[in-house]
Amino acid sequence: MSVWQSVKIAGRALRVNKLRSALTMLGIIIGVSAVIAMVGIGAGAQARVAEQIQSLGSNLMIVLSGSVTSGGIRMGHGTQLTITEDDAAAIAREVPAVQVAAPSVRGVAQVVYGNLNWSTVIQGVTPDYSEARDWPIVDGRQLSSEDVDGATKVALVGQTTALNLFGESEPLGQIIRIKKVPFTVVGTLARKGQNSWGQDQDDIIMIPISTAKKKVLGTSQANPRAVGAISVKIRPGEDMPEAESQIRVLLRQRHRLQAFQDDDFWLRNLSEILQTQEESSRVMTYLLAAIASVSLLVGGIGIMNIMLVSVTERTREIGLRMAVGARRRHILLQFLIEAVTLSLIGGIIGIALGVGGSEAISYFAEWRTLVAPGAIVLAFGFAAGIGIFFGFYPARKASRLDPIEALRYE
């Protein structure tokens, strides 16, 4: 008896009890679809975190100003401007692993264009800021050293700000007013999307840091060189923790802090934080897939149960086949093919439902899902493996029946 004949016999046997076959496949269908959907949700979360890492800039650290303590009350980071443009220059000069260190100041202001206005973030930056944050422009030019030295009134606009101020019009060359000061738009920033805190990074206008201090946001009376943050980009392949340690030591020396004193600045390794989030998303993906796989095991047990019932019902048929020359391996192959066929048909239906369910979750719940071909192949292979594993015992039991006893069975 050939394999193809065994397949046809198995197909006929499954068609005889269509409802029972469908119910048997239900566990496999649910298991495969659940695995694909859960893995898709987890992969979508990982992809989102990877995009956030990309949008922040690779190998990025942020140095923030310290906090003010008054009457035992700590006001939080950034309430006291303790870092300066000179600190940024020293970091870039004295820490070998640093590629660029870009100081910046930040505020919020109402921006006016024609009869439209929009409240947005105003960021005073240096030309190195775009390199530190991996933030190119899609149109126009970047800010230059001449813009910073001359405190020129030029601006780069983010995508969200450009949409709300100019609509479908071309921003380049337009005059906008920031706190009644006219600025010429010289460039449009590339889209960044939301950061890990849900803030829209494209709702921003960048101007030269010198212009921001002198004409828009103002300066600290205590130290005109003070800034709110320094974006530090580490060279590819360098040791981030070592670079972080060197920056901390340098800043403590520059700020003349004693060993018993706390840092008067805050140093954050954003890439490390987001990579931790990515690892958490990966672990959650594995956990969801493991939970969904329980349905596959339940489906496999269902297949074993039904196949054992089928062996009992067809005992006389098995005896008759053996009496006319069928060998044990033929009986084993026939029942094994029936079990695998149930699993594979259930797996195919489960794949369709899993992919469709992932799309539905993405559409209705607005969660990003990403169904990789590898997940589909893995789920399908797992379904086939379940059929072989749980179908082998009933098939073996059928093949070991005594032909004479089988023929006598009522």
Side-chain angles (χ1 to χ4, degrees):
M1 183 184 292
S2 66
V3 174
W4 177 242
Q5 287 175 321
S6 297
V7 171
K8 290 193 292 184
I9 294 172
R12 284 198 299 268
L14 294 176
R15 285 196 300 270
V16 169
N17 296 292
K18 294 180 182 178
L19 180 59
R20 187 171 72 182
S21 299
L23 292 174
T24 304
M25 288 187 292
L26 193 58
I28 298 297
I29 293 171
I30 293 173
V32 170
S33 59
V35 168
I36 291 177
M38 294 301 99
V39 171
I41 291 172
Q46 291 181 44
R48 177 60 181 155
V49 173
E51 287 179 358
Q52 290 174 349
I53 294 174
Q54 181 85 21
S55 71
L56 282 175
S58 59
N59 300 335
L60 180 66
M61 294 183 190
I62 301 292
V63 184
L64 297 174
S65 290
S67 60
V68 172
T69 301
S70 178
I73 299 175
R74 302 183 67 189
M75 304 301 292
H77 294 288
T79 53
Q80 181 181 14
L81 296 179
T82 56
I83 55 176
T84 66
E85 294 178 58
D86 299 324
D87 287 333
I91 290 172
R93 182 178 62 250
E94 299 183 29
V95 180
V98 172
Q99 182 171 330
V100 291
S104 61
V105 292
R106 181 185 179 95
V108 177
Q110 204 73 19
V111 183
V112 178
Y113 170 71
N115 60 350
L116 297 174
N117 67 89
W118 183 250
S119 178
T120 188
V121 172
I122 308 299
Q123 191 97 358
V125 301
T126 64
D128 289 333
Y129 188 81
S130 61
E131 182 179 355
R133 295 293 304 274
D134 292 332
W135 205 334
I137 59 171
V138 293
D139 203 4
R141 67 172 179 87
Q142 290 279 12
L143 300 179
S144 64
S145 300
E146 290 76 15
D147 292 324
V148 175
D149 295 339
T152 58
K153 292 179 284 189
V154 295
L156 305 177
V157 294
Q159 295 285 332
T160 300
T161 304
L163 179 63
N164 284 280
L165 284 179
F166 306 105
E168 300 299 324
S169 302
E170 173 60 48
L172 284 186
Q174 302 295 339
I175 304 298
I176 59 176
R177 292 184 176 274
I178 306 174
K179 289 189 174 180
K180 299 182 180 181
V181 179
F183 283 80
T184 302
V185 177
V186 295
T188 306
L189 294 164
R191 186 174 298 280
K192 276 281 189 177
Q194 291 185 345
N195 60 21
S196 59
W197 301 279
Q199 297 172 332
D200 185 2
Q201 297 180 92
D202 299 310
D203 193 359
I204 192 172
I205 291 178
M206 293 185 189
I207 60 178
I209 189 171
S210 54
T211 310
K213 287 184 174 183
K214 294 177 181 178
K215 301 175 182 178
V216 179
L217 302 178
T219 59
S220 169
Q221 294 182 353
N223 187 354
R225 299 283 290 171
V227 295
I230 302 173
S231 301
V232 182
K233 184 174 184 179
I234 306 302
R235 300 181 190 277
E238 296 289 347
D239 187 350
M240 292 281 285
E242 176 62 24
E244 182 177 348
S245 176
Q246 292 177 8
I247 293 171
R248 177 169 279 106
V249 170
L250 174 63
L251 290 178
R252 288 185 63 87
Q253 290 175 348
R254 289 184 55 82
H255 296 181
R256 295 180 174 85
L257 297 175
Q258 301 298 319
F260 61 88
Q261 291 179 291
D262 294 333
D263 294 341
D264 63 349
F265 55 89
W266 191 30
L267 184 56
R268 298 188 64 189
N269 186 341
L270 298 186
S271 296
E272 187 176 273
I273 293 171
L274 289 176
Q275 285 165 3
T276 301
Q277 292 181 3
E278 185 179 33
E279 182 64 29
S280 299
S281 298
R282 187 180 299 113
V283 171
M284 185 58 66
T285 301
Y286 294 152
L287 179 60
L288 291 173
I291 293 172
S293 298
V294 174
S295 299
L296 281 175
L297 295 177
V298 173
I301 294 171
I303 287 177
M304 177 184 284
N305 183 39
I306 293 301
M307 294 306 298
L308 286 172
V309 172
S310 180
V311 169
T312 303
E313 289 179 345
R314 296 159 62 188
T315 300
R316 284 179 61 83
E317 175 192 333
I318 294 168
L320 184 59
R321 289 183 184 279
M322 288 183 172
V324 297
R327 303 208 174 169
R328 293 184 184 277
R329 67 173 181 271
H330 298 146
I331 304 298
L332 176 69
L333 183 62
Q334 177 188 336
F335 281 87
L336 196 57
I337 286 176
E338 287 185 25
V340 173
T341 301
L342 283 171
S343 291
L344 292 183
I345 294 175
I348 292 171
I349 298 173
I351 288 171
L353 290 178
V355 174
S358 297
E359 294 295 328
I361 290 171
S362 179
Y363 180 79
F364 290 108
E366 297 184 351
W367 291 350
R368 179 171 181 178
T369 58
L370 184 62
V371 180
I376 295 176
V377 172
L378 180 62
F380 188 72
F382 197 18
I386 287 289
I388 294 172
F389 181 80
F390 286 99
F392 181 79
Y393 175 73
R396 184 173 179 272
K397 181 179 179 181
S399 68
R400 289 184 173 274
L401 288 175
D402 183 86
I404 298 175
E405 294 296 328
L407 286 170
R408 289 177 181 173
Y409 185 81
E410 293 295 340

